[in-house]
Amino acid sequence: MPTDHQQAFTKSNCLKDDILKKITNTSAPLSTADRDKIKRNFGAAPTMSINAKTTYCVGLNTSRGLVVLELMPDWAPQTVNNFVYLAQNKFYDGLTFHRVLKDASGIQIAQGGDPKGDGTGGPGYTLPEEKAKDGDYSSGTISMARSDKVSGSQFFINTGDNSSKLKGTSYNTFGWIVKGMDVAVSLQGPSDSDKSIAPDVINYALVVPAS
């Protein structure tokens, strides 16, 4: 893990008590009816509305516990703006980690953000490539998934150091974990070899600027 990321585990503004209170929600998961009311298709990517001079704190309140992300607009401004927009619109609430790979000799990720839950869904648009942090897929970073184009909503947490395995790829890396790495590593979900594993859930994704 790079030194600057290690330092973020103790110095990030996202770890301040007032911020943590705003992005933590231990309420019961949404009912099926409430999940069905959430808008999952937007048709077009959002216009830029974030403050590009500040970082953003995300609380992924999962069925395993809280994962706190610090999003970096200076790495990938459009990607951060998009994630903030979707989280503010509750898009991620109730979605699963539909693909989790844990093989120590291979890629190690926990992937979520698909409203269909099978790796084929999105919000109705894709994102441009942003390579400011290209090549950093170290443990604890967060990147956008892609097929031929960058997904508009699917993301993956690098639960192991994937930098060498994903070298030369163009997944938008746009933030990193500053709290709850143990929770991220513990996430369960279907894998390429075993589709029967029950996926863990993002109960609530809450986001605030780190001011």
Side-chain angles (χ1 to χ4, degrees), residues 192-203:
D192 294 347
S193 60
D194 188 351
K195 306 294 186 182
S196 67
I197 301 172
D200 284 323
V201 180
I202 302 170
N203 292 330

Side-chain angles (χ1 to χ4, degrees), residues 3-16:
T3 300
D4 56 348
H5 192 179
Q6 292 177 349
Q7 293 173 344
F9 273 86
T10 57
K11 297 183 179 180
S12 170
N13 285 335
C14 297
L15 299 176
K16 293 180 178 179

